Amino acid sequence: MKQSAHRITVGDVTRELPTVRVGSVGRVPLVEFIGDSEFTNAAAQALLPLIPGGTEMLLTVVTNALPLAHELSDRSGIPYVVARKKRRTYMQDPLIQDVPSMTLGVAETLWLDGPHAARLRGKRVTIVQDVVASGGTAQALARLVERAGGTVAGYLAAFKQGNTTLPLRYLQELPQSL
């Protein structure tokens, strides 16, 4: 019988994460911050002390990590910038970065609007994600930081799931397959 949920606790919040099939990996726990303020707030509060010292800006990617980055920004006072997965018509001179490998088996491109990229120039930037598996998205975000003239201060995620060589600070490790 396959496990249909994976229990995690962050702070005083416990969730039964549903599991989903991901390519040839098997079933993995699905973390969803969107629409779950209690869980998002608990994760943001627990991540606060893990923000690297000297961080001047946070960078995340839409969609699921966005509420987490927002709550971290709200609690820490550190502003944040968001990269998108699709070009928007209003973007001005965006920086474009391919994501080299995706755990979900889907190639992606990240778009950072020019005015947002300018906010990273000269700043120490911490990359914020919900879950880091291989680190491909985090590395693509780091390239955007460097291309914008910023410096990567560190990598922060609520959860680590898999093997990455990144110096990642995270709350908990999730199983790679259930």
Side-chain angles (χ1 to χ4, degrees):
M1 182 173 183
K2 292 183 179 170
Q3 190 172 354
S4 60
H6 178 76
R7 178 177 287 207
I8 60 167
T9 300
V10 176
D12 60 357
V13 177
T14 298
R15 289 292 179 267
E16 296 286 336
L17 301 180
T19 63
V20 295
R21 181 163 297 288
V22 178
S24 62
V25 174
R27 299 190 72 79
V28 298
L30 177 64
V31 174
E32 291 194 280
F33 288 117
I34 293 176
D36 191 341
S37 297
E38 183 183 36
F39 184 46
T40 303
N41 288 329
Q45 191 62 42
L47 282 168
L48 269 179
L50 300 181
I51 296 174
T55 296
E56 300 171 285
M57 186 74 66
L58 304 173
L59 173 64
T60 194
V61 64
V62 296
T63 300
N64 195 44
L66 182 54
L68 182 62
H70 180 86
E71 290 302 330
L72 275 171
S73 174
D74 193 46
R75 285 168 170 73
S76 68
I78 301 169
Y80 70 97
V81 171
V82 179
R84 296 184 175 269
K85 295 180 181 180
K86 291 182 181 177
R87 183 182 177 115
R88 302 293 182 210
T89 56
Y90 56 78
M91 288 185 170
Q92 304 167 27
D93 300 317
L95 293 180
I96 304 163
Q97 185 64 55
D98 288 332
V99 178
S101 64
M102 290 297 300
T103 303
L104 300 179
V106 179
E108 290 187 326
T109 302
L110 300 180
W111 300 78
L112 184 60
D113 195 5
H116 293 244
R119 293 178 60 203
L120 300 179
R121 189 173 303 122
K123 301 287 190 205
R124 291 183 40 80
V125 181
T126 292
I127 293 167
V128 178
Q129 292 185 267
D130 53 345
V131 179
V132 170
S134 67
T137 301
Q139 290 170 332
L141 288 166
R143 282 193 284 287
L144 284 173
V145 169
E146 292 161 1
R147 291 175 56 207
T151 304
V152 175
Y155 300 89
L156 193 61
F159 303 99
K160 176 181 178 260
Q161 184 175 39
N163 300 316
T164 180
T165 59
L166 294 175
L168 180 67
R169 294 178 179 195
Y170 59 96
L171 298 177
Q172 294 179 34
E173 190 156 354
L174 296 175
Q176 287 181 269
S177 180
L178 295 172

